[in-house]
Amino acid sequence: MYYSDKDHGSSSSLFQALRMRELQPFKVKGRPSVRGLSSDGECAGSGVLTLDHTGSFPPAPPLAISYAKKRGELNLLAVADEEGYVSIFNTAIVWLAENCQWKVWMAHMNAIFDVSWMRDDTHMLTASGDQMIKLWNVEACVSVGVMKGHSGSVKSLCVHPSHQDLFVSGSRDGSVAFWDVRSSDSSSTGGHEHAYRPVATIKDTHVPHRSKHVRRRKGGMHSVTAVLYQQDERVLATAGAVDGVVKFWDTRSLKCPVAQTPVPQSELHEGIKVGRVHGISGLSQDPTSSRIIASCTDSKIYMYNGAHPEKGVISSFSGHVVGSFYVKVAFSPDGGHILSGSSNEDAYIWQVDRPRDAPVVLKGHTGEVTAVDWCPTSFCKIATCSDDCTIRVWTMKEMQFVHQQESPIVCHRHRISAHPISLDLSTSVRNYPENQQSTENLNAVKKVWDQPILAMGEKATGLEGFQRSPLMERKVNTLCPVHTSDSSKAMTSVGERPSKSSKRLRTLRDYFPIN
């Protein structure tokens, strides 16, 4: 039996094909390619969302988005906008624009810069320009807590990875505040709403050391733009708008950071330092906290080793434009890709292990792409928001894979016929006296060999039931080896098949004649 591989234009035995299949496993569909992402509504779960709460035109631009981590099959997307509204959409039915909005309420009288789910997605935190943080019951759309303590707009939030009652916030006043909604220091403000004060605070988090004692002018606050808990639950990463470094704090001792990334050096042009230190607009980390990325306003994304950030940048990604601190960045759920907004109206995706490759560009927005988020359990679903007052949900088109499945191997069977072989056993025994002692055994073998081949259903009796197998042929060759001699020349005239007109039962002698 043979098979022919049409793809390679060659033939090989079946056994070789089986062996190669073990060494080179059959390829199946691989990871979906990010080049297949689309928001045009042609594939399930994709589409464009708009915010229009008051009927005014144009509607308010969204500033923050966040996917639910545990609720609604992870299809719920929270969107906070410049007018202080919070909207929750079910992105599983995003193409039904009128029905996909699940909840909407006015949370603040000022812009909301960040939003975060907590307590198994039953509650939500909102950070606003009114210098307050509010805790909301998502189902009832009711505020159950107000956090006051910052003297500037609250820019960023991060909930503790395992203790859902703990979270941290960063503000434009340059401070980082730690909060505990179980704190006994909380006091009721009437109804179900409680007022909270921070349990710990870091002042002047990202003010350069040389300027700490310099009197700052009004409006010259050194904003904390990003806060991020690491997965070890004890280390907090922070980034600011002025110093261009990421600092790491041990939450058990907040006197000074335990580590920080190197201070970026000014660019050198003909031996002269030019340019300035750029700020950081956002932070993100992979699921294991082994790598952390910082989106910098010099239009680059820098990656650091999460365990040793002081060693500096391990890789960088470019191609987009970061023109404001509203442009954010996010790791994919598997840590293999990086998603970022851009000021040039596009979103960008890089592959982590190929930083020099050109990024995948997602086109569709007509304004600066600001906040981005990746669905926590789906590689094929992301959300982006823009100053064009829209939110785009991107999903994968069908049959867009990195490795396409190869065509299966086609096998063709061919009939193989064996040439008759004649054996002159009597001559072999006569010419070699040492084999004459096996004459009795030879006669028994010939007797079995000459037995007719029974048709299916016939009953074998006596010696006819003897099971003949290829082993018998080897025994015959062992007892009576064939040697080239003058007498063996007559073998060629004996190996003729009997005529079809013969009515006697065929035996093995007809196919393997023995003289």
Side-chain angles (χ1 to χ4, degrees):
M1 182 185 296
Y2 290 82
Y3 88 98
S4 62
D5 190 346
K6 293 183 178 181
D7 295 336
H8 297 82
S10 61
S11 298
S12 180
S13 69
L14 174 63
F15 303 102
Q16 291 177 348
L18 293 175
R19 184 177 62 180
M20 292 303 296
R21 187 168 63 180
E22 293 179 359
L23 298 177
Q24 300 177 358
F26 184 70
K27 292 183 178 181
V28 296
K29 293 180 180 179
R31 173 185 298 278
S33 170
V34 294
R35 297 183 184 277
L37 290 172
S38 172
S39 64
D40 54 13
E42 295 181 357
C43 45
S46 68
V48 182
L49 303 173
T50 59
L51 304 175
D52 188 8
H53 311 297
T54 61
S56 61
F57 184 84
L63 299 179
I65 57 177
S66 178
Y67 268 109
K69 307 301 185 292
K70 297 181 180 293
R71 190 174 182 179
E73 298 181 355
L74 307 179
N75 289 314
L76 297 181
L77 179 68
V79 181
D81 60 38
E82 194 176 45
E83 290 183 351
Y85 282 89
V86 174
S87 305
I88 300 179
F89 296 91
N90 183 359
T91 58
I93 54 174
V94 68
W95 64 90
L96 302 174
E98 297 180 357
N99 301 325
C100 67
Q101 184 171 294
W102 180 50
K103 300 284 185 181
V104 59
W105 71 92
M106 189 170 189
H108 296 266
M109 298 297 294
N110 207 320
I112 300 176
F113 296 108
D114 202 2
V115 61
S116 180
W117 299 81
M118 68 181 306
R119 291 181 173 178
D120 294 335
D121 299 339
T122 60
H123 290 73
M124 183 180 296
L125 292 169
T126 55
S128 175
D130 58 10
Q131 306 177 7
M132 292 189 298
I133 304 168
K134 287 189 177 183
L135 176 64
W136 297 89
N137 183 316
V138 174
E139 191 70 30
C141 302
V142 174
S143 174
V144 296
V146 179
M147 291 73 180
K148 297 181 179 180
H150 288 294
S151 58
S153 301
V154 186
K155 293 292 188 178
S156 57
L157 297 169
C158 185
V159 179
H160 195 278
S162 61
H163 300 287
Q164 292 290 296
D165 291 320
L166 306 178
F167 70 95
V168 64
S169 61
S171 173
R172 191 170 181 267
D173 61 9
S175 67
V176 172
F178 295 82
W179 309 84
D180 186 351
V181 297
R182 305 164 302 176
S183 175
S184 58
D185 295 336
S186 63
S187 59
S188 177
T189 59
H192 299 284
E193 192 176 62
H194 295 265
Y196 296 87
R197 304 295 299 179
V199 296
T201 305
I202 304 176
K203 298 291 186 180
D204 296 330
T205 309
H206 284 274
V207 179
H209 178 73
R210 62 180 180 273
S211 63
K212 275 192 175 183
H213 302 288
V214 177
R215 184 177 180 180
R216 292 179 295 180
R217 296 176 298 173
K218 185 178 181 180
M221 298 179 181
H222 304 293
S223 176
V224 177
T225 56
V227 290
L228 181 66
Y229 267 115
Q230 290 194 292
Q231 294 300 324
D232 62 1
E233 304 178 359
R234 294 181 178 179
V235 177
L236 176 72
T238 63
V242 292
D243 55 358
V245 301
V246 181
K247 294 184 178 181
F248 297 82
W249 308 80
D250 189 336
T251 55
R252 297 167 297 180
S253 178
L254 301 174
K255 294 182 179 180
C256 61
V258 295
Q260 73 174 41
T261 58
V263 178
Q265 300 295 325
S266 301
E267 298 180 0
L268 293 178
H269 179 68
E270 297 181 356
I272 303 175
K273 290 185 179 181
V274 297
R276 60 182 179 84
V277 176
H278 296 271
I280 295 175
S281 63
L283 295 176
S284 185
Q285 62 183 350
D286 64 3
T288 61
S289 295
S290 60
R291 293 170 295 186
I292 186 170
I293 53 176
S295 176
C296 191
T297 54
D298 63 353
S299 299
K300 291 184 179 180
I301 297 174
Y302 298 103
M303 179 181 292
Y304 302 94
N305 187 325
H308 302 284
E310 68 280 358
K311 293 184 178 180
V313 177
I314 58 177
S315 60
S316 62
F317 306 85
S318 59
H320 63 314
V321 179
V322 182
S324 71
F325 288 99
Y326 295 104
V327 177
K328 305 300 180 182
V329 65
F331 250 115
S332 63
D334 62 351
H337 292 78
I338 296 173
L339 169 66
S340 175
S342 178
S343 298
N344 62 354
E345 304 180 356
D346 297 326
Y348 292 79
I349 299 179
W350 294 266
Q351 193 168 341
V352 172
D353 57 354
R354 296 181 177 180
R356 296 185 178 180
D357 290 359
V360 176
V361 182
L362 304 180
K363 294 184 176 293
H365 286 291
T366 58
E368 181 182 57
V369 181
T370 53
V372 297
D373 197 19
W374 216 303
C375 186
T377 59
S378 177
F379 175 81
C380 307
K381 196 169 190 177
I382 64 174
T384 59
C385 67
S386 171
D387 285 348
D388 61 6
C389 305
T390 63
I391 303 99
R392 286 185 175 265
V393 180
W394 308 74
T395 56
M396 190 66 60
K397 291 182 179 179
E398 295 182 359
M399 301 303 293
Q400 295 290 332
F401 294 92
V402 176
H403 302 290
Q404 296 291 342
Q405 184 175 0
E406 295 181 352
S407 58
I409 298 176
V410 180
C411 297
H412 300 278
R413 301 186 180 209
H414 301 278
R415 184 179 296 278
I416 299 177
S417 59
H419 297 286
I421 301 176
S422 60
L423 298 177
D424 191 353
L425 298 181
S426 60
T427 303
S428 299
V429 174
R430 183 174 61 255
N431 292 342
Y432 297 92
E434 64 272 18
N435 291 334
Q436 292 179 3
Q437 59 184 358
S438 303
T439 303
E440 297 179 358
N441 296 335
L442 175 62
N443 293 333
V445 172
K446 293 177 66 178
K447 186 175 181 180
V448 174
W449 201 285
D450 293 336
Q451 293 297 324
I453 299 177
L454 299 178
M456 184 177 298
E458 291 187 24
K459 183 177 181 181
T461 59
L463 195 59
E464 293 178 354
F466 187 84
Q467 298 293 328
R468 300 187 294 274
S469 66
L471 179 62
M472 184 63 68
E473 183 179 355
R474 291 197 298 270
K475 288 184 177 179
V476 173
N477 293 335
T478 303
L479 294 174
C480 305
V482 179
H483 298 272
T484 57
S485 61
D486 296 338
S487 59
S488 63
K489 297 179 180 180
M491 295 182 183
T492 56
S493 61
V494 183
E496 296 180 357
R497 293 189 178 185
S499 62
K500 295 184 180 179
S501 61
S502 177
K503 296 183 179 180
R504 68 178 181 84
L505 296 176
R506 294 185 180 182
T507 66
L508 291 177
R509 184 189 294 275
D510 297 325
Y511 299 94
F512 301 95
I514 302 178
N515 294 330

